[in-house]
Amino acid sequence: MLQAVHILQMHDAATTHWHHASSPYHEIGSSFDRLVLDQHRANFDLWHHEDATRDREASSHDLAEHKHAIDTLNQRRNDLAEQIDHTLLAAAPPQALTAPLHSETPGMMIDRLSILALKRFHTEEETRRDGADTAHQQRNRDRLAVLDEQIADLAGCLDALWTDIIDGRRRFKLYRQMKMYNDPTLNPVLYRKS
């Protein structure tokens, strides 16, 4: 069910597609793949809203709109990571319930791989950016090598964790993020206005 190389390939293909096409990415195999790509899309959109907030010429209105979008997308990103974990827990064998606990969930690791895929895409762009000097391009080639190593390490750890879960040597729990900022009953700024 879970293969890190497949997740990496989906992240890379979707990232490239979304940067060069306005249509959604449709090469989906399973409902699990859809969750992974929906979560990646939330990170993709977050990335670009975060970039837009750094525009020093942006209006206060535009910055507020981006901030609201970031809050909504961050909530979606976390909710989807939980859904990924919920799906994987349902697929885990019963003996995995008594194995030693792993602190990071596969959904959290997939989220980190998603962010690394975006960093890699944008760093690779900088290695060939028109008008950038050779020192800038080399610095980004060096960064790309580090990112590739981090992606490979994390993907290997994800595969090892899933194998340990399937074999009953490790387990994980569904950790709820308990986000409060979007909840009008928990955020004082929101409930004081109602």
Side-chain angles (χ1 to χ4, degrees), residues 17 55 58 88 144 188 193:
H17 178 81
D55 180 355
L88 292 172
L144 200 56
K193 289 190 175 190

Side-chain angles (χ1 to χ4, degrees), residues 6 10 25-37:
H6 177 64
M10 286 193 309
Y25 182 72
H26 288 296
E27 291 183 35
I28 308 303
S30 67
S31 58
F32 181 75
D33 290 353
R34 168 51 56 203
L35 280 175
V36 168
L37 284 176

Side-chain angles (χ1 to χ4, degrees), residues 49-60 62-63 66:
H49 280 286
E50 289 281 359
D51 274 356
T53 66
R54 285 155 178 92
D55 180 355
R56 294 192 181 277
E57 296 177 15
S59 70
S60 296
D62 287 345
L63 291 174
H66 288 298

Side-chain angles (χ1 to χ4, degrees), residues 50-113:
E50 289 281 359
D51 274 356
T53 66
R54 285 155 178 92
D55 180 355
R56 294 192 181 277
E57 296 177 15
S59 70
S60 296
H61 173 77
D62 287 345
L63 291 174
E65 290 295 315
H66 288 298
K67 175 60 177 145
H68 291 302
I70 288 166
D71 285 349
T72 300
L73 288 162
N74 196 43
Q75 183 74 56
R76 178 160 172 71
R77 163 192 171 216
N78 283 287
D79 290 348
L80 286 162
E82 286 180 16
Q83 288 178 36
I84 289 168
D85 285 333
H86 181 74
T87 300
L88 292 172
L89 277 170
Q95 73 267 23
L97 299 176
T98 58
L101 183 64
H102 194 271
S103 64
E104 187 176 35
T105 71
M108 293 173 182
M109 296 170 84
I110 291 167
D111 179 59
R112 288 174 52 210
L113 285 171

Side-chain angles (χ1 to χ4, degrees), residues 106-149:
M108 293 173 182
M109 296 170 84
I110 291 167
D111 179 59
R112 288 174 52 210
L113 285 171
S114 168
I115 294 164
L116 285 168
L118 293 166
K119 286 181 182 179
R120 190 192 189 292
F121 179 89
H122 289 283
T123 300
E124 196 277 327
E125 278 187 324
E126 291 299 315
T127 67
R128 53 186 166 72
R129 187 178 84 194
D130 289 340
D133 62 29
T134 56
H136 174 85
Q137 292 172 343
Q138 183 58 50
R139 183 172 73 99
N140 282 284
R141 280 192 290 276
D142 295 342
R143 290 170 52 101
L144 200 56
V146 171
L147 287 168
D148 286 340
E149 180 179 359

